């Protein structure tokens, strides 16, 4: 750290500061240092901290998809506030300025064909806020190709494929002349691949929660571009698909091809389920609390019982006093016997005798009203008998089931499994219904609204709905049917599953097998299976319609931009940018392009894909210091002309400007 | 926060610049309008790669294998009967998220 500080202090005023604005990372540093001094992610927290009243810059492991924003939109600088904070951070780390200004010439990067607004934001900030003496604007893709010498740079013929974080550029250069009309851009990049990877995995495993660093690590470690995508998919799908679809010739060359294609194998990652460890003391405390609660409950129950008893006794006394006044009242007698049964003074059979008191009396002695009562009592008596019989039968059945269980355990098990399957199906259907209830446009909800409308459309003159509390239960009855039924069937399922667990030792394995399928869908395992995900996320470079970007793939773009130009271009294809680090992208391009052209094709990856741009800037700034003033915009120019006119921008080998 | 290297009048100046930019016109609101100001052939929109002429290949939305079939209710593409059963059993909200990944923003009715 001390060494670095000395480096900053010794830096004189005419040493240029180089800043490479990338969509994912910003690299900055003095031209004298070997590697970029400051490397930060270009994301800023949306919300201010309560302590420091300032926004935080994203760390390397913060989740960029939530609550963070970058100054870039589709590789264009759009948000000036976020950019200002990132610049502040950079200049503070570099210890660059004093007395209200940063007294260093500055070299910045921009993307191809930036809009005026993006340039305005950058220039205004640099000249007004930091009062920089001069700014040079160059294109990042062009700087990344610059080696040491400007003359060789101006004679080269190359096809640059710049794989950025949000965009991909294809740039043909012939004899040092950039052919601006043939530059093509694809609106996706490394961030899209990561997002696609994240979304697909999270959707297939809704019960697990993934963290950003986890996903980022898997994305870097396990994903790669498939050299033959269709064949790779079949390989993942299983041996049937892989060998079944081939014709005879390819079957003969199988061994050779497999070595060439570098087919990937699926990866299984176990995710441990984290459980809270409960100490013995906590358990003791919980037990004590429970016992205390139990004692309290018992006391309260006894008190309430005593209160009830005293109340009932009081009622009895009052009723008996009334009975003394008129002794022929039957209802009063009934009430008294009821109370006596409740208090336990008289056995239960006395009640029944009172209930069916007219059964044994002959018809001649009865009045017609009493005859009616007798008929009613007969029916009731028969029903009660039926109930008793049913209860007895049920008890016998249970005994039989126990016998059945002991004699033929296999059949009994089958019966239980069938029962379980039926209940599971019912629960699934109800779940579907419930989920449909949540969305307003579903057929179920529309039906419900229709029935409610019918209820409201009665031809009554006076609207007295809602006077009774019972009226509102119509609404409840419409919605609550499912809940209660669901609980009942769940309870049944629990009972059956417990029985099965007791009887069948390999019950769980059987259930897993019944759900199990080739794709492991809906199994809720604590395991992540990376099969197609390993190649699918990187495939969007070649098939952008996978994530809904309606543009050509990378191969078609190269074809289009090299159309009508020298074929030498195809022998000098160079991949730069962070996306060039992905595995297999070079082999894939080689394979696809050789099938399109009949000329030889050579592709290479830049020596340092990520920091190559900054290195190119450093080499240029160190070797051609005298040309820097010629290429850059000075503060006097800015004050005279302003950012509105084209005259202010200078044309140079790395520039973005066409006549 | 005040830094040593920053112009002390920047805060006031920034508001001025912002208000001027807004008062000029609405031309800076989106990228399309920004491009239309100077009508050169080399601008941000013109270097965009055109849509592909080849028919797009169809892949299963859930497993990623080649898809031969399409579910008329959820509009999802699927590869075999196992996936079909899975699709029919999950709620419509997750079907919409699967569609959003592929770039279809239509809403499922009924």
């Amino acid at each position: 750290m001390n060494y670095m500080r000395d480096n900053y202090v010794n830096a004189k005023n005419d040493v240029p500061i180089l800043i490479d604005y990338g969509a994912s990372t910003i690299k900055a540093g003095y031209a004298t240092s070997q590697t970029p001094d400051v490397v930060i992610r270009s994301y800023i927290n949306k919300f201010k901290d309560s302590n420091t009243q300032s926004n935080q810059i994203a760390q390397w492991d913060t989740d960029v998809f939530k609550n963070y924003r970058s100054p870039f939109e589709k590789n264009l600088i759009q948000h000036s506030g976020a950019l200002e904070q990132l610049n502040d951070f950079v200049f503070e780390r570099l210890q660059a300025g004093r007395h209200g200004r940063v007294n260093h010439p500055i070299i910045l990067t921009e993307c191809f064909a930036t809009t005026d607004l993006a340039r305005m934001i950058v220039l205004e900030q640099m000249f007004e806020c930091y009062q920089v003496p001069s700014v040079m604007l160059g294109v990042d893709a062009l700087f990344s190709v610059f080696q040491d010498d400007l003359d060789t740079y101006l004679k080269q013929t190359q096809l640059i494929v710049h794989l950025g974080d949000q965009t991909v550029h294809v740039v043909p250069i012939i004899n040092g002349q950039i052919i601006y009309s043939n530059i093509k851009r694809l609106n996706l990049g490394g961030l899209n691949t990561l997002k696609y990877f994240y979304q697909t995995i999270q959707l297939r495993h809704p019960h697990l929660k993934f963290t950003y660093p986890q996903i980022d690590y898997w994305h870097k470690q396990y994903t790669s571009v498939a050299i033959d995508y269709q064949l790779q998919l079949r390989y993942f799908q299983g041996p049937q698909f892989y060998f079944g679809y081939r014709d005879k010739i390819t079957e003969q060359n199988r061994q050779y091809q497999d070595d060439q294609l570098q087919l990937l194998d699926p990866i299984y990652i176990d995710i441990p389920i984290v459980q809270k460890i409960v100490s013995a003391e906590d358990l003791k405390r919980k037990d004590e609390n429970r016992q205390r609660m139990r004692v309290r409950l018992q006391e309260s129950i006894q008190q309430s019982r005593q209160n009830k008893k005293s109340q009932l006794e009081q009622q009895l006394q009052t009723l008996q006093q009334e009975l003394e006044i008129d002794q022929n009242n039957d209802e009063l007698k009934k009430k008294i016997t009821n109370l006596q049964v409740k208090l336990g003074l008289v056995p239960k059979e006395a009640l029944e005798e009172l209930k069916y008191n007219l059964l044994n009396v002959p018809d001649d002695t009865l009045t017609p009203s009493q005859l009616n009562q007798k008929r009613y009592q007969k029916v009731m008596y028969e029903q009660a008998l039926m109930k008793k019989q049913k209860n007895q039968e049920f008890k016998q059945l249970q005994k039989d089931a126990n016998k059945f269980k002991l004699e033929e355990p296999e059949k009994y098990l089958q019966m239980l499994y069938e029962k379980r399957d039926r209940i599971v199906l019912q629960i699934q259907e109800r779940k579907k219904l419930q989920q449909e209830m949540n969305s307003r446009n579903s057929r179920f909800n529309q039906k419900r609204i229709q029935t409610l409308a019918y209820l409201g459309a009665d031809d009554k003159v006076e609207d007295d709905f809602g006077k009774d509390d019972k009226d509102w239960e119509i609404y409840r009855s419409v919605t609550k049917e499912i809940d209660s039924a669901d609980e009942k069937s769940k309870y049944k399922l629990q009972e059956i599953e417990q029985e099965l667990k007791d009887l069948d030792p390999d019950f769980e394995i059987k259930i897993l097998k019944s759900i199990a399928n080739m794709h492991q869908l809906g199994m809720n395992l604590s395991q992540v299976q990376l099969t197609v995900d390993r190649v699918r996320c990187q495939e969007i470079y070649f098939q952008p319609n996978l994530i809904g970007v309606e543009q050509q793939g990378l191969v078609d773009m190269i074809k289009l931009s090299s159309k009508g130009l020298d074929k030498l271009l195809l022998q000098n294809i160079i991949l730069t940018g962070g996306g060039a680090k992905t595995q297999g992208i070079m082999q894939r391009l080689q394979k696809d392009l050789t099938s399109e052209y009949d000329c030889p094709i050579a592709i290479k990856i830049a020596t340092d894909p990520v920091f190559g741009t900054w290195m190119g800037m450093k080499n240029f700034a160190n070797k051609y210091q005298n040309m820097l003033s010629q290429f850059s915009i000075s503060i006097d120019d800015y004050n005279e002309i302003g950012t509105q006119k084209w005259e202010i921008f200078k044309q140079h080998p790395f520039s973005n400007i066409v006549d | 926060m005040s830094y040593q290297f920053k112009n002390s009048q920047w805060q006031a100046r920034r508001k001025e610049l912002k208000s001027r930019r807004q008062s000029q016109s609405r031309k800076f609101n989106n990228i399309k309008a920004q491009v239309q100001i100077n009508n050169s052939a080399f601008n941000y929109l013109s270097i965009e790669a055109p849509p592909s002429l080849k028919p797009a290949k169809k892949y299963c939305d859930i497993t990623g294998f080649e898809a031969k079939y399409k579910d008329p209710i959820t509009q999802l593409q699927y590869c075999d009967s196992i996936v079909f059963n899975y699709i029919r059993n999950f709620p419509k909200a997750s079907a919409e998220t699967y569609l959003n990944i592929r770039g279809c923003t239509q809403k499922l009715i009924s």
Side-chain angles (χ1 to χ4, degrees):
Chain A
M1 201 61 201
N2 277 327
Y3 156 73
M4 281 173 76
R5 192 164 285 167
D6 290 345
N7 200 5
Y8 300 146
V9 173
N10 288 338
K12 287 174 189 172
N13 283 344
D14 46 339
V15 172
I17 290 175
L18 323 170
I19 305 176
D20 175 16
Y21 286 130
S24 67
T25 51
I26 288 178
K27 304 112 191 163
Y30 287 105
T32 47
S33 47
Q34 286 299 315
T35 50
D37 298 317
V38 183
V39 181
I40 51 169
R41 286 176 93 191
S42 46
Y43 288 95
I44 272 182
N45 200 341
K46 273 180 190 170
F47 309 107
K48 281 183 180 176
D49 258 357
S50 55
N51 296 331
T52 55
Q53 288 295 323
S54 64
N55 304 35
Q56 279 183 328
I57 289 168
Q59 302 294 317
W60 288 100
D61 57 344
T62 44
D63 193 346
V64 158
F65 300 122
K66 283 178 198 162
N67 299 334
Y68 276 79
R69 66 170 182 196
S70 82
F72 297 91
E73 264 177 31
K74 284 186 184 175
N75 221 354
L76 281 175
I77 292 167
Q78 296 285 312
H79 306 292
S80 58
L83 187 76
E84 193 191 326
Q85 289 204 330
L86 289 169
N87 277 336
D88 284 349
F89 187 82
V90 166
F91 286 129
E92 198 195 4
R93 271 290 176 83
L94 291 175
Q95 302 183 348
R98 232 165 270 165
H99 311 302
R101 61 181 303 175
V102 177
N103 206 359
H104 293 272
I106 280 180
I107 306 181
L108 299 175
T109 59
E110 54 184 11
C111 73
F112 269 108
T114 37
T115 53
D116 289 354
L117 178 67
R119 274 199 198 118
M120 259 174 72
I121 286 170
V122 171
L123 285 182
E124 275 171 5
Q125 223 169 79
M126 282 297 158
F127 286 123
E128 305 259 356
C129 179
Y130 305 108
Q131 294 183 313
V132 172
S134 67
V135 169
M136 177 182 163
L137 292 168
V139 181
D140 48 359
L142 298 178
F143 270 124
S144 67
V145 184
F146 182 79
Q147 296 291 336
D148 266 337
D149 203 20
L150 200 61
D151 292 336
T152 52
Y153 172 78
L154 286 173
K155 279 173 193 168
Q156 65 181 346
T157 54
Q158 266 183 341
L159 189 84
I160 306 168
V161 179
H162 188 77
L163 301 152
D165 201 45
Q166 293 179 357
T167 50
V168 174
H169 285 97
V170 175
V171 188
I173 303 173
I174 290 181
N175 294 329
Q177 274 205 328
I178 306 151
I179 295 157
Y180 285 101
S181 58
N182 283 21
I183 293 170
K184 292 287 170 233
R185 189 189 66 238
L186 186 62
N187 285 335
L188 49 83
L191 192 71
N192 296 70
T193 64
L194 181 59
K195 200 173 180 184
Y196 191 38
F197 185 68
Y198 190 91
Q199 280 175 336
T200 47
I201 285 186
Q202 187 67 68
L203 269 173
R204 276 204 295 120
H205 306 274
H207 59 290
L208 296 174
K209 274 194 177 178
F210 301 109
T211 55
Y212 178 82
Q214 227 173 5
I215 293 282
D216 195 32
Y217 176 76
W218 292 344
H219 181 257
K220 269 175 193 157
Q221 198 75 10
Y222 300 132
T223 62
S224 70
V225 177
I227 295 163
D228 190 332
Y229 189 63
Q230 306 297 328
L231 214 64
Q232 178 71 60
L233 285 187
R234 278 180 209 153
Y235 184 74
F236 278 139
Q237 211 163 359
Q240 274 186 348
F241 292 88
Y242 183 50
F243 299 117
Y245 285 106
R246 291 181 162 194
D247 49 26
K248 277 182 184 174
I249 300 167
T250 47
E251 187 67 31
Q252 283 169 6
N253 297 331
R254 187 168 63 83
Q255 202 72 34
Y256 168 72
Q257 264 200 343
D258 283 2
D259 296 341
Q260 201 80 5
L261 290 175
Q262 300 170 2
L263 291 171
L264 300 165
D265 288 319
I267 283 178
Y268 304 95
I269 301 161
D270 290 326
I271 290 174
I273 296 168
V274 183
Q275 276 183 338
K276 271 190 180 176
I277 300 163
V278 186
S279 63
E281 289 182 7
D282 284 348
L283 281 175
K284 258 189 184 177
R285 239 178 261 155
K286 273 184 182 177
D287 263 13
E288 282 172 7
N289 278 336
R290 236 178 252 161
Q291 279 181 355
R292 261 181 234 156
M293 288 291 286
R294 201 182 292 157
V295 171
R296 260 184 224 164
L297 261 176
Q298 280 174 354
E299 282 174 2
S300 67
I301 286 169
Q302 273 186 356
Q303 267 199 358
S304 64
R305 267 181 195 164
Q306 280 179 355
N307 288 338
K308 250 191 181 176
K309 224 178 183 180
S310 60
Q311 274 184 9
L312 288 175
E313 278 167 356
Q314 276 185 4
Q315 279 184 8
L316 234 181
Q317 278 180 2
T318 50
L319 286 173
Q320 276 169 351
Q321 281 172 8
E322 282 177 24
L323 205 137
E324 283 172 7
I325 297 165
D326 54 351
Q327 289 192 341
N328 291 329
N329 199 339
D330 289 342
E331 286 186 9
L332 269 178
K333 275 181 190 174
K334 261 188 190 177
K335 274 182 185 174
I336 286 166
T337 41
N338 256 331
L339 282 174
Q340 278 171 343
V341 168
K342 268 183 189 172
L343 284 169
L345 298 173
V346 177
K348 267 188 181 179
E349 290 154 8
L351 243 179
E352 282 185 4
E353 279 177 16
L354 246 181
K355 252 186 185 176
Y356 311 117
N357 56 352
L358 296 174
L359 271 180
N360 294 328
V361 183
D363 291 355
D364 307 338
T365 55
L366 291 173
T367 57
S369 68
Q370 276 176 332
L371 261 174
N372 265 341
Q373 270 194 356
K374 195 189 167 184
R375 238 174 265 150
Y376 177 71
Q377 279 180 5
K378 253 188 183 176
V379 174
M380 292 300 287
Y381 184 68
E382 280 167 10
Q383 276 185 357
L385 272 180
M386 291 274 281
K387 260 189 188 175
K388 263 189 184 177
Q389 272 188 359
K390 264 191 182 175
N391 273 333
Q392 280 178 355
E393 279 176 8
F394 185 70
K395 275 175 189 174
Q396 266 199 347
L397 262 178
Q398 272 192 339
K399 279 179 190 173
D400 287 348
N402 281 331
K403 266 188 189 174
F404 186 55
K405 204 192 224 167
L406 291 172
E407 285 167 4
E408 289 175 287
E410 289 177 9
K411 271 191 182 178
Y412 182 73
L413 265 181
Q414 250 192 11
M415 199 186 73
L416 276 183
Y417 273 119
E418 278 169 10
K419 251 189 196 173
R420 193 192 151 271
D421 289 351
R422 242 178 281 145
I423 293 169
V424 166
L425 258 178
Q426 280 177 4
I427 288 174
Q428 273 182 2
E429 278 173 5
R430 273 190 211 121
K431 241 187 197 174
K432 247 171 119 183
L433 256 180
Q434 259 189 343
Q435 276 153 354
E436 278 188 16
M437 268 165 60
N438 292 335
S439 71
R440 218 169 230 213
N441 294 330
S442 68
R443 200 177 291 166
F444 179 83
N445 257 353
Q446 279 175 357
K447 255 189 188 175
R448 201 177 129 241
I449 288 164
Q450 270 186 1
T451 53
L452 289 178
Y454 268 122
L455 286 172
D458 285 341
D459 297 332
K460 282 177 189 170
V461 184
E462 288 180 24
D463 187 18
D464 55 346
F465 182 82
K467 276 185 182 176
D468 264 347
D469 284 342
K470 282 181 183 176
D471 291 350
W472 298 104
E473 281 181 4
I474 290 167
Y475 290 102
R476 274 184 207 165
S477 66
V478 179
T479 52
K480 273 211 169 177
E481 276 173 11
I482 292 165
D483 283 353
S484 57
D486 209 34
E487 277 174 16
K488 267 184 192 172
S489 51
K490 264 185 187 172
Y491 184 68
K492 262 189 190 173
L493 221 173
Q494 274 186 0
E495 277 186 348
I496 289 175
E497 279 190 347
Q498 268 209 348
E499 254 196 275
L500 280 171
K501 264 181 200 171
D502 295 339
L503 292 174
D504 202 356
D506 36 81
F507 160 72
E508 286 179 1
I509 298 167
K510 266 185 189 173
I511 280 189
L512 278 183
K513 265 189 186 174
S514 72
I515 315 168
N517 48 47
M518 223 171 58
H519 314 302
Q520 295 197 338
L521 296 173
M523 278 175 73
N524 295 354
L525 297 175
S526 64
Q527 189 188 48
V528 176
Q529 194 188 25
L530 298 179
T531 53
V532 181
D533 304 299
R534 288 191 71 186
V535 289
R536 178 158 60 164
C537 63
Q538 303 287 1
E539 186 65 17
I540 60 173
Y541 285 123
F542 300 92
Q543 298 177 32
N545 61 304
L546 275 174
I547 55 165
V549 176
E550 289 182 357
Q551 280 185 313
Q552 285 178 336
L554 198 51
V555 178
D556 288 344
M557 270 168 68
I558 290 172
K559 261 176 85 180
L560 193 71
S561 66
S562 67
K563 199 177 175 183
L565 297 177
D566 197 351
K567 286 281 172 66
L568 253 176
L569 268 180
L570 295 167
Q571 292 176 35
N572 293 307
I573 296 173
I574 186 164
L575 305 179
T576 63
K581 274 188 162 183
T582 49
Q583 267 183 13
I585 194 163
M586 195 176 73
Q587 288 95 317
R588 172 67 182 271
L589 271 179
Q590 182 91 39
K591 183 182 157 294
D592 280 9
L593 284 174
T594 41
S595 66
E596 301 277 354
Y597 292 99
D598 54 352
C599 61
I601 280 157
I603 304 169
K604 64 174 180 181
I605 296 171
T607 47
D608 194 347
V610 178
F611 297 118
T613 308
W614 195 88
M615 292 304 193
M617 284 157 81
K618 189 198 79 180
N619 290 340
F620 173 77
N622 280 340
K623 202 161 186 184
Y624 300 95
Q625 269 197 0
N626 50 349
M627 292 167 102
L628 209 69
S629 59
Q630 192 185 329
F631 292 159
S632 53
I633 306 159
S634 67
I635 192 166
D636 297 333
D637 285 349
Y638 173 78
N639 287 333
E640 263 187 38
I641 304 168
T643 50
Q644 297 291 325
K645 289 176 184 172
W646 278 90
E647 301 155 25
I648 193 173
F649 301 114
K650 302 278 164 55
Q651 209 171 4
H652 54 82
F654 306 103
S655 77
N656 218 346
I657 286 101
V658 202
D659 288 332
Chain B
M1 292 285 279
S2 60
Y3 295 101
Q4 277 189 354
F5 48 79
K6 260 175 138 175
N7 193 355
S8 53
Q9 294 156 1
W10 164 246
Q11 289 298 335
R13 180 74 179 139
R14 191 175 65 173
K15 275 176 193 168
E16 204 178 298
L17 283 169
K18 215 173 188 180
S19 65
R20 192 207 287 170
R21 212 182 292 150
Q22 279 171 356
S23 67
Q24 267 178 355
S25 67
R26 286 187 180 178
K27 61 190 173 185
F28 290 125
N29 274 1
N30 56 7
I31 293 165
K32 227 178 203 175
Q34 288 170 37
V35 166
Q36 280 170 357
I37 297 166
N38 39 43
N39 286 315
S40 67
F42 177 68
N43 58 40
Y44 189 79
L45 289 180
S46 74
I47 66 168
E48 217 162 49
S52 179
L53 296 173
K54 293 173 189 168
K57 265 176 185 155
K58 284 173 183 174
Y59 296 100
C60 179
D61 281 313
I62 287 139
T63 55
F65 299 125
E66 280 176 78
K68 292 174 188 170
Y69 321 104
K70 187 181 176 185
D71 183 14
I73 290 177
T74 56
Q75 306 291 324
L76 289 170
Q77 295 159 2
Y78 62 94
C79 62
D80 58 9
S81 60
I82 299 167
V83 181
F84 178 68
N85 282 329
Y86 180 68
I87 286 172
R88 279 294 171 88
N89 278 327
F90 68 43
K92 264 165 199 130
S94 60
E96 274 173 8
T97 53
Y98 272 113
L99 284 177
N100 278 333
I101 288 177
R102 212 208 302 151
C104 300
T105 49
Q106 68 185 84
K107 277 207 164 181
L108 299 171
I109 303 164
S110 87

